[in-house]
Amino acid sequence: MKKQHNAVWIGVIMVLIASLALSGCGGGGGGGSTDKSNTGGTTYTIGGTVSGLTGAGLVLQNVFTDDLSVSANATSFVFATPFANGAGYGVTVKTQPSGQNCTVANGTGAVSGANVTNVAVTCAASGGVTGGGAHIYVADMGNNRIVRMDDMAGTNWTALGGSGSGVKQFYQPNGVYVDAGGKIYVADTANNRIVRMDDMAGAGWVTIGSSGTGANQFSGPSAVYVDASGRIYVADTNNSRIVRMDDMLGTGWTTKGSFGNTAGHFAAPMTVFVDSANKIYVADWGAYQLVRMDDMNGTGWTALSGAMGNLFNGPDGIFVDAAGKIYVTDEGNSTSSVVRIDDMTGAGWTSLGSAGTGANQFSNPGAVYVDAAGKIYVADYGNHRVARMNDMSGAGWTTLGSYGSSTNKFYNPLGIFVR
């Protein structure tokens, strides 16, 4: 991300230098500045298209100082400040929208006698894969490590960990999450802590947590999620609660839940997910249900234990795609399946999988992840492998892994994330 960002601004600087030269040659352009208004002359607008924007909070910036807020579901934008002919422009994302990452194409150039309309902003769900450079991260629980690879062939396999509670050690890690800045968060389950590190070398290693029920304490945390504002959510499984904190110091520590299966309670929540509208989804394994709430007060509490004759029996992983479809791994059912539903009423219930080791089969599947292209990744716990398919028909079924601790092998993988 940093290289891409620097490349954008190198382009902006080069355009500004060129526009300075053009102004000098023209003889009347305000002493070689990139004066945007150029009062007295013809001016032009800078704008373009927006695609895939569903979250609120997107702010674009043009040449460091001109900010523009873009509303959710917008399809176009135009900056208010006009530019003179020959002036350089450089459009970047200043603030990402809630739950999404946006990128800019055709963002730099110089005005050439017409309004600029070809800047293209494309947005995808936070953590979605938008192209080259994506990695697959796996919480390889039984091997007490985190694995990163470039693709489903295991290219550039990198592992970090070892059994223990020290730096660069894990004990049965269940969940992994990678934020927009590339920082890696791990639910280090049996160590009752959350770990954050800057990279797969373990640089910047920071932990929070110890065994207990109080502030800054966990009991068997199984999953971690970071929202667009940088707030950290934890499925604190054995404490039957969801935790939210502002940072790795535990600032703003907030919890929701205690043991039970009625509103406001959880029974072994395994996964937490926050969508682009900041709604919080929980796979409540022990209560055999999915829960959605609007906030950490439990407002708008909605629970789904089954639909159309199909019941969950041990929902483990949960993922909500950019269209709002909900994917769930149901490890307890004899089918060992991945389920997709359109919403929290259970509409559009679609199931893929059966118990086994072959194509379109799973053994106690753990986490699920869906990339921006719609490909579905599953941590196939009992089969010691990662599976990927193109869609809910199982097309393009691909797996990597078998039991072991060497390259391209796993031992009960539980968490998966792609960025």
Side-chain angles (χ1 to χ4, degrees), residues 80 82 90 104 120 154 178 191 213 226 234 282 288 314 320 328 386 408:
V104 179
V178 184
N191 279 325
T213 61
V226 183
V234 179
V282 179
Y288 312 112
V320 183
V328 182
V386 171
N408 293 358

Side-chain angles (χ1 to χ4, degrees), residues 30 38 62 97 100 148 180 182 185 207 230 243 277 279 304 309 321 354 371:
N38 192 24
N62 191 12
Q100 292 191 287
R148 186 189 69 194
Y185 296 75
T207 68
V243 172
K279 293 184 183 293
L304 176 68
D321 69 14
S354 60
D371 71 17

Side-chain angles (χ1 to χ4, degrees), residues 53-58 93-102 124-127 177-181 185 225-233 244-246 273-279 417 419:
L53 178 60
T54 59
L58 172 62
V93 176
K94 180 179 180 181
T95 305
Q96 294 286 0
S98 177
Q100 292 191 287
N101 290 319
C102 299
S126 181
Y177 184 96
V178 184
D179 71 15
Y185 296 75
Y225 190 97
V226 183
D227 71 14
S229 300
R231 293 178 297 188
I232 304 162
Y233 295 75
R244 188 187 69 196
M245 50 194 182
D246 296 341
F273 186 100
V274 183
D275 71 10
S276 60
N278 287 323
K279 293 184 183 293
F417 196 90
R419 188 185 289 279

Side-chain angles (χ1 to χ4, degrees), residues 297-325:
N297 294 318
T299 307
W301 181 280
T302 304
L304 176 68
S305 58
M308 301 167 66
N310 300 283
L311 296 176
F312 295 116
N313 183 10
D316 195 319
I318 189 168
F319 188 97
V320 183
D321 69 14
K325 293 184 183 294

